[in-house]
Amino acid sequence: MIAETVCSAASAAGLGIAAVTAYRKRFLSAARIAAYSLVPVGLVMTGVVGWAADTAFSPMAWAGFVVLGGAWLLFTGTRAVERRRGGTRKERRAARASAQSDAVAPTASAPSLGPAARPATRPAAAAPRAKSGDDFSDIEAILKKHGI
């Protein structure tokens, strides 16, 4: 009852401000103010204000919010622990089983990247540099300065 009265008074005040704004020849602003001032009355007429007032002053509703918050905390806490541990129980078992198996096949004697991985011939340089030692003298000085 009080919420409906407050909303009606706020709407009446807003419509009064819109009338004064329209009197000053600012019609666009007046229409916008009138639209905002009609929102509280519309909420009262649809019953949203009554529902919100009943919810705000109901101990059962607040207990429901507490239960929902506790459920949310449990959910997020278990997700964080699950991520830290590495997934579900099935995923952990599969990881343990794969860790116990050999990483390299016992019959493998040569590396998997054989001679085919290297290029057969290297392309020759187009022109050798005449002052290759001078190019790196600055870099060598800096490295010596830092003890490398």
Side-chain angles (χ1 to χ4, degrees):
M1 181 85 169
I2 293 174
E4 289 87 358
T5 306
V6 169
C7 287
S8 298
S11 291
L15 288 174
I17 293 170
V20 170
T21 306
Y23 179 74
R24 293 181 181 171
K25 308 279 188 218
R26 298 178 66 199
F27 298 110
L28 188 61
S29 295
R32 197 171 294 132
I33 292 169
Y36 281 123
S37 66
L38 291 175
V39 169
V41 170
L43 291 175
V44 167
M45 294 173 101
T46 59
V48 172
V49 172
W51 173 81
D54 290 341
T55 303
F57 297 115
S58 169
M60 185 65 78
W62 285 106
F65 285 127
V66 169
V67 168
L68 286 174
W72 180 78
L73 285 174
L74 282 172
F75 179 71
T76 56
T78 56
R79 291 291 293 168
V81 169
E82 185 178 10
R83 285 183 183 162
R84 182 171 282 185
R85 283 188 180 173
T88 62
R89 184 177 294 178
K90 285 183 179 180
E91 292 171 352
R92 288 193 303 271
R93 283 184 187 163
R96 263 190 246 125
S98 67
Q100 291 175 355
S101 65
D102 295 328
V104 179
T107 59
S109 61
S112 58
L113 296 176
R118 294 185 201 131
T121 59
R122 292 189 177 180
R129 294 185 183 169
K131 297 182 179 181
S132 64
D134 294 337
D135 292 340
F136 296 107
S137 61
D138 296 337
I139 296 172
E140 288 177 12
I142 293 171
L143 291 174
K144 285 181 183 178
K145 179 181 176 184
H146 290 288
I148 298 174

